[in-house]
């Protein structure tokens, strides 16, 4: 693999580390903040905990605009700034409304990163390595999740304001990320889409001195000429890829993954574990997530996207059914942690590894950011709704029924994989464009 492409892909994928850290770090402060501000379950879930996710929705809906207009690299730099501002602001907040605003700003960064980072990596990666290079974004998400759980555990006993340190420490990797991102070259495909052919040729030559730059530019231009620059993803010829990104994003969240990541300590405590054991088991979730994501990254270009989705869907159904049974039958001890570890492994090797790769592949170059924005928006609207309602649902209908609903949704995902989802491994982005339009 070209070492330059690997380094740039890792750098862009570090946006995923900030994404993962930001989304999960709040779990350590969850119950402390509710007690501190005396919030009701509904206010705490929808405002204190959920506001970051609504910021993510905004970032996902509108993140395609700067990604297209100002470029993937410049958007990634702004994302780093948003994360740093959010970390400092939430750590210094003295009331739930200022706290929610700071978390909302970080959420915008999360939503925009799900568009800019996968788009950038997919556009510089060779077809044979694109799956694992884009999947490094997901690897960094789960690495950030694991580090957030570990950080929360280490900082949990430093005093009544431990939650401020938990949230504020994110500013350090955010600032480092901005410094690394300054060294990224611009995406050559984006430059070509903007008519900056000379600059694109220079970067393509810089990426690989032995590459046939002329052939690459000609392939891009031949596809670009077929497309109307003013068309949108909502016209008839893009109906199939639009449906694919909607469904993969829909099922991703109806697995219950964000509810589990946000409320892991609360779920463990509901199953009878103490606070310290709950935080420690949350670290175990992070480690499991990391290991199985590494496995998914290793396999995605070997087995393909569809095979990993088959494996993940079946493991989802098994683990969620067991979790439901554990709550219904009041199994004690390590039953719930074990089944949650199995659930996290199922997500990591399947949906977790595949979603951002798949969404970044199936739209043409001039509509890639718009298509990703649609898929990411679907993902994050549901990611805002489901965790916001989770504390209420857990109390109202119980863990058994909640996890049973998620299990049924994963049966539907299995049918989606079997009858709708195409395989995309090993094909150039231009080849995939032809396949998707023919559908």
């Amino acid at each position: 693999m070209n070492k330059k492409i690997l380094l740039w892909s890792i750098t862009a994928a570090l946006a995923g580390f900030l994404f993962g850290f930001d989304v999960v770090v709040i779990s350590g402060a969850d119950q402390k903040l509710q007690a501190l501000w005396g919030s009701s379950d509904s206010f705490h879930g929808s405002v204190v905990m959920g506001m970051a996710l609504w910021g993510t929705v905004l970032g996902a809906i509108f993140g395609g605009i700067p990604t297209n207009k100002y470029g993937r690299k410049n958007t990634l730099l702004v994302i780093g700034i948003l994360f740093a501002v959010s970390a400092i602001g939430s750590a210094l907040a003295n009331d739930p409304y200022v706290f929610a605003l700071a978390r909302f700003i970080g959420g915008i960064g999360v939503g925009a990163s799900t568009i800019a980072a996968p788009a950038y990596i997919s556009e510089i990666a060779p077809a044979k390595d694109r799956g694992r290079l884009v999947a490094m974004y997901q690897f960094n998400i789960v690495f950030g999740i694991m580090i957030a759980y570990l950080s929360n555990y280490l900082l949990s006993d430093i005093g009544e304001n431990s939650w401020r340190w938990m949230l504020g420490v994110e500013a350090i990797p955010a600032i480092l990320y901005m410094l690394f991102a300054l060294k990224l070259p611009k995406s050559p495909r984006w430059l070509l889409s903007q008519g900056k052919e000379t600059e694109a040729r220079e970067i393509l030559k810089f990426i690989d001195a032995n590459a046939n730059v002329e052939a690459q530019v000609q392939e891009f231009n031949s596809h670009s000429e077929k497309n109307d620059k003013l068309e949108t993803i909502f016209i008839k010829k893009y109906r199939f890829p639009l449906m694919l990104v909607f469904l993969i994003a829909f099922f991703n969240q109806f697995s219950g993954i964000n509810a589990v990541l946000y409320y892991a300590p609360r779920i463990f405590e509901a199953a009878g574990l103490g606070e310290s054991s709950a935080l420690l088991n949350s670290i175990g979730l992070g480690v499991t997530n990391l290991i199985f994501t590494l496995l998914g990254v290793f396999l995605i270009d070997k087995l393909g996207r569809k095979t990993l989705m088959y494996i993940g869907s079946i493991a989802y159904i098994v683990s969620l059914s067991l979790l439901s049974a554990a709550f219904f039958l009041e199994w004690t001890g390590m039953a719930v942690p074990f089944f949650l570890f199995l659930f996290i492994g199922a997500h990591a090797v399947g949906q977790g590894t595949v979603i951002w790769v798949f969404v970044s592949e199936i739209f043409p170059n001039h509509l890639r950011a718009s298509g990703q924005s649609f898929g990411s928006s679907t993902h994050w609207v549901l990611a805002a709704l489901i965790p916001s309602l989770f504390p209420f649902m857990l109390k109202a209908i119980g863990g058994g029924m909640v996890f049973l609903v998620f299990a049924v949704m994963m049966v539907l995902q299995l049918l989606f994989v079997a009858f709708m989802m195409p395989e995309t491994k090993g094909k150039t982005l231009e080849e995939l464009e032809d396949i998707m339009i023919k559908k």
Side-chain angles (χ1 to χ4, degrees):
M1 188 187 295
N2 185 309
K3 290 182 180 178
K4 292 175 184 174
I5 292 176
L6 179 61
L7 179 62
W8 296 333
S9 298
I10 291 171
T11 300
L14 287 173
F17 176 89
L18 295 170
F19 165 172
F21 193 99
D22 189 83
V23 166
V24 166
V25 71
I26 189 70
S27 68
D30 168 24
Q31 296 183 75
K32 290 184 175 69
L33 291 175
Q34 187 169 10
L36 176 66
W37 289 320
S39 307
S40 66
D41 283 344
S42 58
F43 181 86
H44 180 69
S46 61
V47 178
V48 177
M49 296 291 285
M51 193 54 69
L53 287 169
W54 291 113
T56 303
V57 171
L58 186 71
I61 292 172
F62 296 106
I65 297 173
T67 303
N68 271 334
K69 186 172 183 180
Y70 301 109
R72 286 61 163 137
K73 174 186 174 177
N74 291 334
T75 305
L76 289 172
L77 284 168
V78 172
I79 286 166
I81 295 170
L82 292 174
F83 279 122
V85 170
S86 173
I88 295 168
S90 56
L92 296 177
N94 285 317
D95 67 70
Y97 300 101
V98 173
F99 181 85
L101 176 62
R103 293 287 296 160
F104 182 82
I105 291 169
I108 294 173
V110 170
S113 81
T114 61
I115 301 166
Y120 180 84
I121 299 168
S122 71
E123 290 177 355
I124 66 168
K128 66 182 179 66
D129 298 316
R130 188 177 60 247
R132 55 183 168 154
L133 288 175
V134 179
M136 283 196 299
Y137 175 72
Q138 177 65 21
F139 169 78
N140 274 279
I141 292 173
V142 300
F143 185 51
I145 288 169
M146 187 189 73
I147 295 301
Y149 279 138
L150 179 61
S151 174
N152 284 350
Y153 178 72
L154 295 175
L155 294 171
S156 62
D157 292 326
I158 64 171
E160 61 178 332
N161 286 320
S162 60
W163 64 270
R164 296 187 185 276
W165 291 99
M166 290 178 183
L167 293 156
V169 75
E170 185 186 350
I172 298 171
I175 292 168
L176 290 174
Y177 168 72
M178 284 187 285
L179 296 176
F180 292 148
L182 284 169
K183 298 293 184 181
L184 290 173
K186 294 176 180 177
S187 161
R189 278 187 168 94
W190 176 77
L191 288 168
L192 287 169
S193 72
Q194 301 296 306
K196 300 177 181 180
E197 196 166 303
T198 302
E199 192 176 350
R201 287 173 185 274
E202 290 173 359
I203 292 175
L204 286 168
K205 199 70 178 174
F206 180 55
I207 289 173
D208 186 355
N210 299 315
N212 188 339
V213 171
E214 191 59 41
Q216 292 180 45
V217 172
Q218 190 172 352
E219 183 183 22
F220 176 90
N221 287 337
S222 67
H223 281 78
S224 181
E225 288 166 4
K226 298 176 188 176
N227 298 315
D228 180 355
K229 298 294 185 188
L230 298 178
E231 66 185 4
T232 73
I233 59 172
F234 299 106
I235 64 176
K236 186 177 180 181
K237 76 174 181 178
Y238 299 119
R239 185 178 297 166
F240 182 64
L242 196 70
M243 192 180 305
L244 289 174
V245 298
F246 172 81
L247 288 173
I248 198 167
F250 176 89
F251 287 124
N252 182 286
Q253 283 307 300
F254 266 97
S255 68
I257 183 61
N258 268 40
V260 169
L261 293 177
Y262 258 57
Y263 295 106
R266 186 177 292 227
I267 295 169
F268 287 131
E269 288 186 42
L273 299 177
E275 181 181 359
S276 181
S277 295
L279 285 172
L280 198 56
N281 276 292
S282 298
I283 297 172
L285 286 184
V287 173
T288 303
N289 204 353
L290 188 70
I291 291 169
F292 280 89
T293 298
L294 276 173
L295 180 61
V297 170
F298 176 74
L299 293 175
I300 193 167
D301 283 321
K302 297 180 183 294
L303 299 182
R305 289 60 159 153
K306 188 163 182 168
T307 302
L308 291 188
M309 286 291 287
Y310 270 125
I311 294 168
S313 297
I314 293 167
Y316 265 148
I317 294 165
V318 172
S319 59
L320 287 165
S321 298
L322 289 170
L323 274 167
S324 177
F327 276 92
F328 275 128
L329 301 176
E330 298 183 355
W331 294 341
T332 56
M334 291 301 292
V336 168
F338 178 78
F339 299 149
L340 275 176
F341 292 160
L342 180 59
F343 166 79
I344 289 292
H347 175 80
V349 81
Q351 266 273 15
T353 298
V354 172
I355 182 171
W356 304 119
V357 176
F358 188 73
V359 171
S360 73
E361 293 177 320
I362 61 176
F363 282 95
N365 292 303
H366 69 298
L367 292 174
R368 180 161 299 111
S370 299
Q372 285 182 258
S373 179
F374 176 78
S376 186
S377 300
T378 303
H379 175 281
W380 287 114
V381 166
L382 293 172
L385 286 172
I386 294 171
S388 294
L389 293 171
F390 189 77
F392 170 76
M393 297 302 292
L394 199 62
K395 184 176 289 187
I397 62 174
M401 187 58 70
V402 170
F403 287 113
L404 181 60
V405 170
F406 292 149
V408 171
M409 296 306 297
M410 292 305 94
V411 173
L412 297 179
Q413 175 178 274
L414 184 59
L415 296 175
F416 159 72
V417 175
F419 296 109
M420 280 191 67
M421 184 178 177
E423 182 54 75
T424 59
K425 75 166 183 171
K427 298 178 178 68
T428 68
L429 295 176
E430 287 71 28
E431 288 171 340
L432 287 171
E433 179 180 340
D434 291 337
I435 292 167
M436 293 298 162
I437 291 175
K438 284 178 184 175
K439 291 279 189 180

